[in-house]
Amino acid sequence: MTATIIDGKAIAAEIRQEIKAEVAALKEKYRKVPGLATVLVGDNPASQTYVRMKGRACEEVGIHSVRPTLPNDATQEQVEGLIRELNADPEIHGILVQLPLPSHLDEEAVLNTISIEKDVDGFHPVNIGRLAMKGREPLFVPCTPRGIMVLLERAGVTLEGSRAVVLGRSNIVGMPVSFLLLHANATVTICHSRTRDLPSVTREADVLVAAVGRPEMVRGDWVKPGAVVIDVGVNRVDDPSRKSGYRLVGDVAFNEVKEVASAITPVPGGVGPMTIAMLLQNTLQGFKRALSAEK
Ligand code: NDP
């Protein structure tokens, strides 16, 4: 069997087009556009790149974006003060604090300062708490897990009654995606670094989500024939044949697993592009909620 490749890049592009059209229609009707603030503290080059990419993605779909920056030695009060200003700004519907923060800052206190109405990353404890509870709705779902669910939906995967195995239990991917799969009525097993005999667990999965950050850890014989495999990992491995000296691989040994699975996401071009598309989607959702609150 050779798996169908779930093309996250194409699906994300489609979603960005849908968002662009909706933003234009709302602008026409209300003379207002959604606004996203990405807060950067310090000069971490990777964080600067991520913030720039997010700003550019906003521009492409007509979302207004601001990128307030504070110096490396900013105090807790300065960071929280900036967030409170953004909480009160009616032109801003989403606030994202680029992580990691410099180590002297209390990350949890900073994230707690973001209004849950503008928490487009979905990391506020109230939003995560609602996600974890039956019958409660978070105002926002974290972007990467939401992107994974959209990929599964657009690939036509039936989750109800299926056996899902998630490798990884991080706050940003493993844990929230497990809750989403559970809400979709899958039977979910969560694995981590202390799980014994991982391959015997992963072989039970109809849907396998790998988010461990270990290059090509999931081998062909870890996967049940016909399973759907979502590879979240983004890992750099040395590759002297490339100008950069490295290439990106996922947590799944793609060439082996594609011969066993029925569908698989590639790295790059699978989950990655969905994360930014979902950030735009969440910002639009915050904007629409603000518009209905005004009515
Ligand atoms: P974390 O490092 O926060 O979490 C990794 C998880 O994997 C932990 O729960 C850890 O277990 C588990 N783990 C680590 N090693 C093993 C092992 N050998 N066997 C079983 N479980 C293991 O990573 P993230 O969740 O933040 O990210 C995971 C991957 O996804 C990374 O490659 C990251 O770059 C990528 N990523 C991609 C995104 C995208 O948009 N495409 C977005 C976010 C992340 P324990 O809890 O016991 O330590």
Side-chain angles (χ1 to χ4, degrees):
M1 179 187 297
T2 298
T4 303
I5 309 298
I6 303 175
D7 187 347
K9 201 170 162 194
I11 296 173
E14 221 173 272
I15 291 171
R16 287 205 305 270
Q17 281 310 314
E18 290 163 14
I19 294 171
K20 188 174 179 176
E22 198 172 349
V23 168
L26 289 168
K27 184 177 179 186
E28 177 82 23
K29 189 163 176 197
Y30 296 102
R31 305 273 131 220
K32 287 180 185 171
V33 293
L36 175 70
T38 43
V39 175
L40 179 63
V41 185
D43 49 13
N44 177 325
S47 294
Q48 286 171 334
T49 307
Y50 291 138
V51 164
R52 254 198 319 273
M53 275 166 60
K54 289 166 186 170
R56 217 174 301 133
C58 282
E59 275 162 34
E60 277 169 27
V61 299
I63 291 179
H64 162 66
S65 80
V66 293
R67 299 175 224 174
T69 303
L70 290 171
N72 237 326
D73 59 357
T75 63
Q76 188 77 23
E77 290 68 35
Q78 278 175 308
V79 181
E80 290 181 18
L82 171 61
I83 292 172
R84 273 191 285 273
E85 276 172 34
L86 295 166
N87 282 343
D89 184 339
E91 288 188 3
I92 295 299
H93 309 94
I95 303 170
L96 177 157
V97 175
Q98 189 63 47
L99 301 176
L101 289 169
S103 56
H104 66 280
L105 294 170
D106 178 345
E107 182 180 300
E108 192 179 350
V110 168
L111 295 181
N112 284 358
T113 311
I114 299 173
S115 154
I116 62 163
E117 317 266 327
K118 300 191 179 187
D119 173 39
V120 279
D121 253 344
F123 294 153
H124 191 288
V126 171
N127 276 324
I128 290 286
R130 288 185 183 174
L131 181 68
M133 292 168 86
K134 193 168 181 212
R136 305 281 169 88
E137 285 288 322
L139 292 172
F140 297 99
V141 171
C143 299
T144 303
R146 186 173 181 195
I148 293 169
M149 298 306 286
V150 173
L151 285 180
L152 289 169
E153 189 189 306
R154 298 219 175 184
V157 177
T158 305
L159 291 170
E160 175 134 355
S162 72
R163 180 81 193 266
V165 173
V166 178
L167 295 182
R169 56 175 165 182
S170 72
N171 288 338
I172 63 169
V173 190
M175 182 268 289
V177 82
S178 303
F179 285 126
L180 291 171
L181 289 164
L182 192 60
H183 292 318
N185 295 321
T187 300
V188 183
T189 303
I190 307 171
C191 302
H192 45 78
S193 63
R194 316 290 160 82
T195 302
R196 272 192 230 128
D197 192 8
L198 266 181
S200 73
V201 183
T202 58
R203 272 196 291 268
E204 303 255 302
D206 302 310
V207 175
L208 177 62
V209 178
V212 280
R214 300 271 179 264
E216 301 183 322
M217 187 177 90
V218 177
R219 313 304 310 190
D221 61 358
W222 290 35
V223 174
K224 178 161 92 177
V228 174
V229 179
I230 304 291
D231 188 355
V232 188
V234 181
N235 309 290
R236 275 186 184 195
V237 294
D238 292 340
D239 185 347
S241 73
R242 304 250 173 141
K243 208 169 132 200
S244 60
Y246 71 87
R247 70 196 154 87
L248 293 180
V249 299
D251 291 341
V252 174
F254 183 82
N255 286 329
E256 285 178 22
V257 173
K258 80 173 183 352
E259 299 304 325
V260 185
S262 63
I264 184 169
T265 59
V267 176
V271 174
M274 294 300 288
T275 298
I276 289 193
M278 291 302 109
L279 173 65
L280 303 174
Q281 186 83 274
N282 277 355
T283 307
L284 174 58
Q285 191 180 318
F287 175 59
K288 289 200 282 189
R289 212 166 11 233
L291 285 176
S292 1
E294 278 172 22
K295 278 186 213 155

